[in-house]
Amino acid sequence: MPPHSCHVNQKRNQMNQHVPAAPHHTYRIACDGACNTNHIKSPFRKVGWGFTAIRSDGRTAERSGTCEGDGESNNTAELEAVIQALSFLQPGSNVTLLLDSNYVLKGATEWLEGWKRKGWKKADGKPVLNLRRWQILDDLMQTRNVTFEKVKGHAGHVMNERADALAVAALA
């Protein structure tokens, strides 16, 4: 399988490139992914990802980008958005991630520890899909204080709608 490549397309922020961990600040970050070829068999696939962040002092930041390669899907886009969001923060940061993705939410909060115990295998003994990204996410979660909050997609949640718009625009 050829390597995946990911690119950052858009930067808009009132925070520094990487936000220093500050015990008195917390972060709320909505993450989303988009894929316009999710149900098409194609040797080349492109997905978009986006996140919007608000720090407890009201400062904001947004990022979006694309990933290209065989095997990219809406799930990989959702994972990449979370990876990019956590990578944006310094280790030690306190963050609540707002997600509409059951795949990422359940993977991070219910399945991850079992996958690791089983040598990165699923309950059926098959390898975990998107392994490289799950391992990166696991590493990032070990060095940040992360909580997850489920939001309903396309239901008017302001931050989720903005993250979705960033992800979709990245594909344009």
Side-chain angles (χ1 to χ4, degrees):
M1 176 184 300
H4 299 272
S5 64
C6 294
H7 309 280
V8 175
N9 293 342
Q10 180 177 349
K11 296 181 180 180
R12 190 194 88 161
N13 68 318
Q14 299 171 343
M15 294 185 256
N16 294 329
Q17 173 65 24
H18 290 284
V19 183
H24 59 284
H25 287 299
T26 58
Y27 305 88
R28 289 180 61 80
I29 303 179
C31 304
D32 208 0
C35 179
N36 58 12
T37 59
N38 211 39
H39 301 291
I40 300 170
K41 292 194 187 265
S42 170
F44 175 81
R45 297 179 58 148
K46 182 176 177 180
V47 298
W49 57 265
F51 72 82
T52 184
I54 299 177
R55 195 165 72 176
S56 56
D57 64 0
R59 295 175 89 181
T60 63
E62 294 180 340
R63 298 284 185 278
S64 67
T66 59
C67 297
E68 303 170 350
D70 183 37
E72 294 292 350
S73 66
N74 195 67
N75 284 342
T76 64
E78 299 278 358
L79 267 170
E80 191 64 34
V82 173
I83 289 167
Q84 293 289 336
L86 291 179
S87 297
F88 177 72
L89 300 175
Q90 292 293 322
S93 296
N94 297 306
V95 59
T96 298
L97 295 175
L98 310 172
L99 307 176
D100 63 10
S101 169
N102 284 325
Y103 174 69
V104 176
L105 185 66
K106 287 185 176 188
T109 62
E110 296 177 25
W111 305 331
L112 189 63
E113 292 305 316
W115 289 341
K116 292 189 318 186
R117 276 193 311 274
K118 296 174 188 158
W120 292 100
K121 303 276 190 224
K122 299 185 297 181
D124 63 6
K126 294 180 182 175
V128 170
L129 299 175
N130 308 309
L131 176 61
R132 178 180 59 87
R133 284 187 170 109
W134 282 113
Q135 290 172 329
I136 293 168
L137 180 56
D138 182 44
D139 288 344
L140 289 165
M141 288 172 48
Q142 300 304 315
T143 58
R144 286 133 180 97
N145 301 311
V146 182
T147 57
F148 294 89
E149 185 177 314
K150 173 72 171 147
V151 296
K152 185 172 174 141
H154 310 286
H157 186 283
V158 174
M159 289 183 71
N160 179 258
E161 294 292 339
R162 181 63 186 155
D164 179 69
L166 290 166
V168 170
L171 287 172

